[in-house]
Structure formats: structure tokens, C-alpha cells
């Protein structure tokens, strides 16, 4: 239906196989020499393949959409206005607002996701993703993402992500870029196989070029809750030392790790990085290079660091045991995740006053 320079397709209902779309499309024209509409507006709800969804966006956003793979088409609602480039007064006025819900499992660059939903607000030089909800590794992630697409500069990302209560083993296993780190988070062979419930929380804020994650910078915080942290190879030779100590390391089981970090390019700096048990406490600030897995950390062990109040009898006994040889429990950790080198900072001269 329409009149003059205005035309509307009202209550449009289209179906092809399992795909469908319904809603309104309007066309507005001007009485001039331009042979196509001045604008096209859409107000639709639809369910169709991602390859078709990608056609609604510029090449950069379309490339991201095609990285998703799913066996079922998502349900979407979208509103858009597309203005003719022949009219300079409408430059940068085009937009799209879309909400999508993937109720079934899908993958993004081969990373499995349990479900995904988001709202997208697209403008000529920026796309905002809001209310992003992702099911990942038996946990739930929420996120906000901004994609900046300036005309004469490279595209950049700005993002905030919060992941809660994800399965530690599954989370690392399903991220291809962390394949080399996953092996360092497995239990040592001496550990008796047991059921474990290791959970991860991650909070991260960052930005950088869209096409090169290795050049991003940002900051965040993480926490791992795992009763078998003391037997994890991430601690490398330190784990072996503690397990073989005559103090009986089973009395100093570690069950949580948390830390703050910031990153620039592929260098991640942890400060603090702390591992805790009911009694023991390990502090290990330092850096990890994601590119070559190089470590540069200090390790400080307090065997009774968490044993009750500072003035408790157990803490005082711990002080009597550890204070005479404090440097024996301080190490320098270098090498790589797979080939760690742990060197004691103990200096014999510290035991002989005035030497």
C-alpha cells in the first residue's frame, strides 16, 4: 500500500524452508532524478541462517557473524533504516537495532558455547553490543562490546566481560589459544584420580585492534576454586618440593587462587597473585608472556599464613618455624610454563650476622 512517494509492505510474511520473516518494510522516495528510494525502513522479526544475517552488515561485522556456527537458526527482532548515499543530507544516518537469541549450542571460531543472546545497536562508524549473555563451560558470562569503525583508521574493540562459576578444565580445554597453558593446569601424575569441582571466575576490561588480539591492553581479576591446586603442574618444581617436604604437605592443601592482572600486547603482569589453603599462603607476583610462555615471578611461601588470627598459638608456632629461615621459602620462578626454573633466594650469608 502507498501514496505518492511513500510505499509500505505491511504484515509481510515470508517463509523458505525453516527460515521465515514477518513485519513491515517501507520505502520513501523523492521527486527528483534519483531512480531508487531515499530510504528503506524495516521493522521485522525473523528466523534465518547466519549467512543471511551477515548480509545486513558491513564486511567487518559480517566476517564476525560468519565465525559463528550453529545447527539451528536464531530468532531475531530488528529495526533498521537504510538511507541512499546519493543524498548527502542523510550521510551516516543509517542504523540497525537487533536482538538475537541462540537457545541451542553453537560455536565461535570452534569454541563451544551453550547459548548466546545479545542486543546490537549499529551505526555508520560504531556498533554497540549490549546485554550479551553467553553460556560457556557450564558457567555464565555477561559482556559489553563496542566495535569502532572509523573511515580512515583501523577498526578497534572495547570490551568488558564477566565470567562466573565456569568449569576450570573445560574453560581452558575449549580455548584453542590456551592449548599450551592447559597442560600446565592438569594434576600431576602422582595425584590419585578423584572427582574434582574446579571453578573459575574472570573479570576483564580491555581494548585493542579488532584483527590482532595480541596487541590489546587492559586489566582484570580472576579466581580459581580447586581443592587440588597444590598438585597442579602450574606450580612446577615448587609443587614437587612442597609435596615431598617432611612437614607433610597434605596438611597445607591449597584450594583457591586469585589475582589481579593487567596486560599489554602479549605480556600479562600479575600483582597480586595469591594461592591459599586452610593454613598455607603463597604469593607469586610477576609476569607471563603469552607468546613464548616465559615466566618471571617471585614466589613467597607462608606455611601458616592463613592459620587463624595473627596472635593465635598456631600462628605463633608457625612464626617460630619459619622466621629463622625466611629466605628458604622465597624463590625466583623463571623459564616457561612447560620448563620452569625455580631458584631459592636463600643466601647463606644471611644466617651469619656481620659477614
Amino acid at each position: 500500500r502507498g501514496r505518492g512517494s511513500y510505499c509500505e509492505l505491511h504484515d509481510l510474511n515470508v517463509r523458505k524452508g525453516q527460515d521465515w520473516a514477518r513485519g513491515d518494510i517501507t520505502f520513501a522516495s523523492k521527486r527528483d532524478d534519483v531512480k531508487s528510494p531515499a530510504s528503506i525502513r524495516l521493522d521485522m522479526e525473523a528466523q534465518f541462517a547466519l549467512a543471511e544475517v551477515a548480509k545486513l552488515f558491513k564486511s567487518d561485522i559480517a566476517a564476525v557473524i560468519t565465525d559463528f556456527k550453529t545447527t539451528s537458526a536464531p530468532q531475531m527482532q530488528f529495526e533498521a533504516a537504510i538511507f541512499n548515499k546519493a543524498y548527502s543530507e542523510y550521510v551516516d544516518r543509517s542504523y540497525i537495532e537487533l536482538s538475537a537469541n541462540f537457545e541451542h549450542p553453537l560455536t565461535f571460531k570452534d569454541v563451544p558455547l551453550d547459548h548466546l543472546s545479545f542486543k546490537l545497536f549499529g551505526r555508520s562508524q560504531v556498533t554497540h553490543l549490549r546485554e550479551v549473555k553467553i553460556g560457556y563451560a557450564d558457567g555464565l558470562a555477561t559482556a559489553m562490546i563496542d566495535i569502532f569503525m572509523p573511515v580512515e583508521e583501523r577498526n578497534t574493540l572495547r570490551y568488558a566481560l564477566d565470567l562466573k562459576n565456569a568449569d576450570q578444565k573445560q574453560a581452558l580445554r575449549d580455548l584453542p589459544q590456551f592449548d599450551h597453558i592447559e597442560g600446565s593446569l592438569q594434576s600431576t601424575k602422582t595425584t590419585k584420580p578423584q572427582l574434582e569441582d574446579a571453578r573459575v571466575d574472570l573479570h576483564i576490561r580491555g581494548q585493542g585492534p579488532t584483527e590482532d588480539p595480541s596487541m590489546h591492553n587492559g586489566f582484570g581479576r580472576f579466581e580459581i576454586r580447586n581443592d587440588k591446586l597444590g598438585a597442579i603442574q602450574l606450580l612446577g618444581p615448587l609443587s614437587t618440593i612442597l609435596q615431598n617436604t617432611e612437614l607433610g604437605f597434605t596438611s597445607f592443601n591449597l584450594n583457591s587462587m586469585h589475582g589481579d592482572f593487567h596486560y599489554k600486547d602479549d605480556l600479562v603482569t600479575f600483582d597480586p597473585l595469591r594461592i591459599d589453603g586452610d593454613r598455607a599462603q603463597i604469593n607469586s607476583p610477576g609476569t607471563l608472556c603469552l607468546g613464548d610462555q616465559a615466566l618471571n615471578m617471585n614466589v613467597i611461601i607462608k606455611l601458616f599464613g592463613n592459620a587463624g588470627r595473627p596472635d593465635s598459638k598456631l600462628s605463633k608456632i608457625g612464626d617460630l618455624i619459619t622466621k629463622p629461615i625466611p629466605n628458604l621459602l622465597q624463590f625466583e620462578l623463571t623459564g616457561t610454563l612447560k620448563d620452569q626454573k625455580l631458584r631459592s633466594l636463600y643466601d647463606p650469608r644471611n644466617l651469619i650476622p656481620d659477614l
Side-chain angles (χ1 to χ4, degrees):
R1 66 187 183 184
R3 179 180 298 177
S5 58
Y6 176 84
C7 178
E8 178 183 39
L9 297 176
H10 182 61
D11 285 340
L12 179 69
N13 196 328
V14 180
R15 180 175 293 273
K16 181 182 179 181
Q18 298 298 316
D19 298 342
W20 55 266
R22 54 177 175 256
D24 302 328
I25 303 178
T26 60
F27 303 85
S29 301
K30 291 189 175 185
R31 296 181 179 181
D32 53 23
D33 295 332
V34 179
K35 302 301 182 181
S36 54
S39 68
I40 302 173
R41 295 178 182 271
L42 303 95
D43 187 359
M44 309 281 292
E45 58 179 340
Q47 177 178 289
F48 46 80
L50 289 177
E52 300 301 319
V53 178
K55 295 177 182 179
L56 298 172
F57 298 90
K58 293 182 179 180
S59 59
D60 296 321
I61 303 298
V64 174
I65 293 174
T66 56
D67 284 330
F68 285 94
K69 306 297 179 186
T70 180
T71 57
S72 59
Q75 292 189 6
M76 297 171 294
Q77 292 184 325
F78 61 91
E79 177 184 332
I82 305 169
F83 290 91
N84 195 322
K85 294 181 180 179
Y87 298 98
S88 59
E89 63 266 38
Y90 299 133
V91 171
D92 295 337
R93 296 283 297 276
S94 296
Y95 72 88
I96 182 169
E97 297 182 358
L98 179 150
S99 61
N101 185 21
F102 297 77
E103 295 180 343
H104 302 286
L106 66 156
T107 63
F108 176 68
K109 292 186 176 181
D110 296 325
V111 176
L113 307 176
D114 300 325
H115 57 80
L116 169 67
S117 63
F118 61 84
K119 292 183 178 180
L120 180 149
F121 304 88
R123 300 297 184 266
S124 62
Q125 296 187 39
V126 62
T127 296
H128 303 287
L129 286 163
R130 294 293 183 268
E131 298 182 34
V132 181
K133 297 179 181 179
I134 306 167
Y136 177 66
D138 197 34
L140 178 64
T142 57
M144 297 188 300
I145 304 170
D146 296 320
I147 306 172
F148 298 96
M149 302 168 288
V151 176
E152 298 181 355
E153 299 179 24
R154 63 181 180 178
N155 294 352
T156 58
L157 286 173
R158 183 173 62 198
Y159 48 87
L161 180 141
D162 298 289
L163 174 64
K164 294 184 178 181
N165 209 38
D167 180 89
Q168 174 194 323
K169 186 176 181 179
Q170 184 180 343
L172 288 169
R173 181 193 65 202
D174 291 340
L175 288 176
Q177 57 268 49
F178 289 116
D179 282 347
H180 56 286
I181 293 179
E182 180 191 353
S184 299
L185 288 172
Q186 303 304 315
S187 297
T188 60
K189 295 180 180 179
T190 58
T191 304
K192 294 181 180 180
Q194 298 178 6
L195 294 175
E196 64 178 272
D197 183 21
R199 294 285 161 172
V200 178
D201 294 344
L202 173 66
H203 309 276
I204 187 169
R205 307 287 185 269
Q207 60 184 3
T210 304
E211 70 280 2
D212 192 356
S214 67
M215 294 182 63
H216 285 203
N217 65 83
F219 62 93
R221 177 178 175 81
F222 76 95
E223 180 181 357
I224 299 175
R225 299 175 294 279
N226 184 346
D227 288 339
K228 298 178 182 61
L229 277 176
I232 279 181
Q233 290 177 352
L234 177 63
L235 302 178
L238 174 60
S239 184
T240 302
I241 291 172
L242 292 174
Q243 289 174 24
N244 293 334
T245 179
E246 293 184 3
L247 287 171
F249 187 57
T250 54
S251 299
F252 302 93
N253 287 335
L254 304 173
N255 51 39
S256 70
M257 175 190 294
H258 69 269
D260 296 335
F261 61 88
H262 62 269
Y263 57 95
K264 184 175 182 181
D265 301 333
D266 65 348
L267 185 67
V268 185
T269 302
F270 297 92
D271 190 11
L273 175 58
R274 179 166 151 175
I275 308 170
D276 287 287
D278 294 335
R279 299 182 184 179
Q281 180 187 117
I282 299 176
N283 288 282
S284 186
T287 62
L288 166 64
C289 181
L290 296 178
D292 58 9
Q293 307 173 44
L295 293 164
N296 184 9
M297 293 182 162
N298 292 320
V299 180
I300 303 170
I301 304 171
K302 298 179 180 179
L303 294 179
F304 296 91
N306 292 328
R309 302 186 308 275
D311 59 345
S312 68
K313 291 183 178 179
L314 187 55
S315 292
K316 291 179 180 179
I317 293 173
D319 289 342
L320 290 174
I321 295 174
T322 59
K323 279 188 176 180
I325 50 172
N327 292 330
L328 289 175
L329 300 177
Q330 297 185 30
F331 303 86
E332 179 183 73
L333 180 61
T334 57
T336 66
L337 280 174
K338 290 185 178 180
D339 183 22
Q340 299 174 32
K341 296 177 174 61
L342 191 70
R343 183 178 69 87
S344 173
L345 296 181
Y346 162 66
D347 186 338
R349 290 173 297 180
N350 292 336
L351 301 179
I352 306 177
D354 302 322
L355 181 61

